[in-house]
């Protein structure tokens, strides 16, 4: 089992560790709140947060270990930004003959055109045709390598 975990991509390992870590922190806070809180609402909400992170991490680990992840690698050819704060909104990746548009989730700040981007998604993630691009419905983890020399 340990060998299988080490064979997973680093980006997936990082996401699994973060999610299990959040579950552990919420479990510790749940125990503390059960010992100290007089009302049931705080422990109940922490129990729901714990269950969410535990399920999320377990589902990601199951997808990765059962081979239901796809890896999409390509060069970032364009970066779409929000109008006012200039945060990245979408990445455009050149993958073989197709251009894939990837909606950014979270705070991704270090992507630039010319970087090698690897996206990990579920094999059941929806892909749509949108304005001549292939729109990927969602992703589980992303890895960005600087510049074209990393290819």
């Amino acid at each position: 089992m340990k060998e299988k975990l080490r064979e997973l991509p680093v980006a997936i390992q990082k996401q699994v560790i973060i999610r299990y870590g959040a579950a552990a922190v919420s479990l510790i806070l749940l125990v503390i709140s059960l010992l100290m809180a007089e009302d049931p609402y705080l422990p109940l909400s922490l129990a729901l947060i714990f269950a969410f992170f535990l399920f999320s991490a377990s589902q990601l680990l199951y997808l990765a270990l059962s081979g239901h992840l796809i890896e999409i690698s390509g060069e970032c050819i364009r970066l779409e930004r929000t109008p006012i704060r200039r945060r990245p909104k979408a990445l455009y990746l050149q993958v073989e003959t197709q251009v894939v548009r990837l909606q950014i989730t979270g705070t991704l700040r270090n992507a630039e055109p010319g970087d090698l981007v690897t996206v990990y998604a579920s094999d059941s993630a929806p892909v749509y045709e949108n304005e001549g691009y292939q729109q990927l419905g969602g992703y589980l983890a992303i890895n960005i390598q600087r510049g074209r020399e990393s290819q």
Side-chain angles (χ1 to χ4, degrees), residues 47-69:
L48 291 174
I49 291 171
F50 168 71
F52 170 76
F53 279 117
L54 184 66
F55 178 75
S56 174
S58 300
Q59 182 183 25
L60 178 59
L61 189 60
Y62 170 76
L63 283 173
L65 292 177
S66 64
H68 290 288
L69 284 182

Side-chain angles (χ1 to χ4, degrees), residues 68-84:
H68 290 288
L69 284 182
I70 57 173
E71 180 179 312
I72 302 169
S73 294
E75 180 185 349
C76 177
I77 56 172
R78 187 172 139 211
L79 189 64
E80 190 176 314
R81 296 188 179 271
T82 58
I84 296 175

Side-chain angles (χ1 to χ4, degrees), residues 128-147:
Y128 305 103
E129 179 76 28
N130 186 13
E131 299 176 2
Y133 302 112
Q134 300 295 321
Q135 172 80 38
L136 183 62
Y139 62 94
L140 299 170
I142 189 168
N143 186 23
I144 299 173
Q145 294 177 342
R146 285 286 191 206

Side-chain angles (χ1 to χ4, degrees), residues 8-138:
L8 294 177
V10 175
I12 296 293
Q13 288 178 5
K14 182 179 174 184
Q15 285 296 315
V16 168
I17 289 170
I18 287 172
R19 292 176 190 192
Y20 274 129
V25 167
S26 62
L27 180 64
I28 291 169
L29 291 174
L30 172 64
V31 170
I32 292 171
S33 69
L34 282 173
L35 296 174
M36 299 182 77
E38 295 176 6
D39 62 345
Y41 299 112
L42 181 62
L44 180 64
S45 64
L46 288 171
L48 291 174
I49 291 171
F50 168 71
F52 170 76
F53 279 117
L54 184 66
F55 178 75
S56 174
S58 300
Q59 182 183 25
L60 178 59
L61 189 60
Y62 170 76
L63 283 173
L65 292 177
S66 64
H68 290 288
L69 284 182
I70 57 173
E71 180 179 312
I72 302 169
S73 294
E75 180 185 349
C76 177
I77 56 172
R78 187 172 139 211
L79 189 64
E80 190 176 314
R81 296 188 179 271
T82 58
I84 296 175
R85 297 190 70 189
R86 308 298 298 161
R87 290 185 178 172
K89 180 178 168 183
L91 281 175
Y92 291 85
L93 304 177
Q94 182 70 43
V95 181
E96 295 176 6
T97 61
Q98 298 286 324
V99 176
V100 177
R101 183 179 189 268
L102 180 69
Q103 191 79 25
I104 300 297
T105 58
T107 56
L108 179 71
R109 298 186 190 275
N110 61 346
E112 295 294 329
D115 292 348
L116 179 65
V117 178
T118 305
V119 177
Y120 300 95
S122 172
D123 59 357
S124 62
V127 178
Y128 305 103
E129 179 76 28
N130 186 13
E131 299 176 2
Y133 302 112
Q134 300 295 321
Q135 172 80 38
L136 183 62

